[in-house]
């Protein structure tokens, strides 16, 4: 069975507590549970990981080599700042899909640049929780 790693970056543990007009009313646990149910239907195995720390995310990506067939990542604010996460993705040789809950291109200018997009297979931005599900469907091959 295909194994897919799902990584959520800084402050996404706060989903559902503030800014529902931007990020919706779902908590991170809601998203992860929805993904687990959908993974069963798609016949893939998933592992969910969230961290507020750049180095932990870099380590998780590096450790995914030979263990996962795909990575779905919402790097959150690190999208716009992290050369370290970009380099980790570029070196791990696992396809990565970048997901954003909000449409980063309709927000502040500083969110329009992604360091991650050039090393990702693709990017889904602005479709809410559905973006994670579409990325998982892509990796399932169904
Ligand atoms: O739209 C997305 O998914 C983002 O990756 C979310 C990041 C933001 O920095 C990116 O530009 C776009 C922010 C995540 C913080 O989420 C919060 C949720 C609730 C309350 C406070 C923060």
């Amino acid at each position: 069975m295909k194994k897919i790693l799902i990584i959520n970056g800084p402050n996404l543990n706060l989903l559902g507590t503030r800014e529902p007009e931007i990020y919706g009313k779902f908590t991170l646990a809601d998203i992860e549970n929805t993904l687990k149910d959908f993974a069963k239907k798609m016949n893939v195995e998933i592992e969910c990981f969230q961290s507020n720390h750049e180095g932990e995310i870099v380590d998780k990506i590096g450790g995914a080599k030979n263990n996962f067939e795909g990575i779905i990542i919402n790097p959150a604010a690190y999208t716009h700042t992290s050369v370290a996460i970009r380099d980790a993705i570029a070196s791990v040789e696992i396809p990565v899909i970048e997901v954003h809950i909000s449409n980063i291109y309709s927000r502040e200018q500083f969110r329009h640049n992604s360091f991650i997009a050039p090393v990702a297979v693709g990017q889904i931005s602005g479709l809410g929780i559905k973006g994670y599900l579409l990325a998982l469907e892509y990796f399932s091959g169904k």
Side-chain angles (χ1 to χ4, degrees):
M1 199 186 276
K2 262 193 185 172
K3 277 181 75 182
I4 307 299
L5 176 62
I6 295 163
I7 300 177
N8 278 293
N11 296 312
L12 287 163
N13 55 315
L14 299 175
L15 283 171
T17 63
R18 277 186 274 140
E19 303 190 78
E21 66 289 353
I22 301 175
Y23 300 117
K25 58 179 177 10
F26 295 103
T27 65
L28 183 60
D30 291 334
I31 294 176
E32 291 180 347
N33 288 332
T34 305
L35 279 165
K36 279 174 193 157
D37 287 346
F38 190 63
K40 277 185 204 144
K41 285 189 200 138
M42 290 289 118
N43 215 26
V44 294
E45 200 179 314
I46 63 166
E47 181 182 320
C48 298
F49 175 79
Q50 189 274 331
S51 177
N52 293 328
H53 304 280
E54 188 175 25
E56 285 184 2
I57 295 171
V58 168
D59 287 345
K60 194 71 187 175
I61 294 166
K65 199 167 184 170
N66 304 321
N67 292 316
F68 292 93
E69 278 80 39
I71 299 175
I72 298 168
I73 185 166
N74 182 344
Y78 289 140
T79 306
H80 320 296
T81 64
S82 183
V83 176
I85 292 175
R86 176 199 177 115
D87 287 351
I89 291 171
S91 65
V92 77
E93 291 169 355
I94 301 173
V96 170
I97 300 178
E98 177 186 348
V99 170
H100 297 284
I101 296 167
S102 65
N103 179 352
I104 57 174
Y105 302 100
S106 67
R107 300 183 64 193
E108 303 96 323
Q109 188 67 37
F110 70 86
R111 295 186 202 275
H112 296 187
N113 179 57
S114 168
F115 279 101
I116 310 305
V119 292
V121 178
Q123 184 197 62
I124 303 171
S125 181
L127 303 188
I129 185 172
K130 191 108 201 229
Y132 294 91
L133 299 172
L134 290 168
L136 195 54
E137 186 177 346
Y138 174 84
F139 277 135
S140 79
K142 297 212 164 84

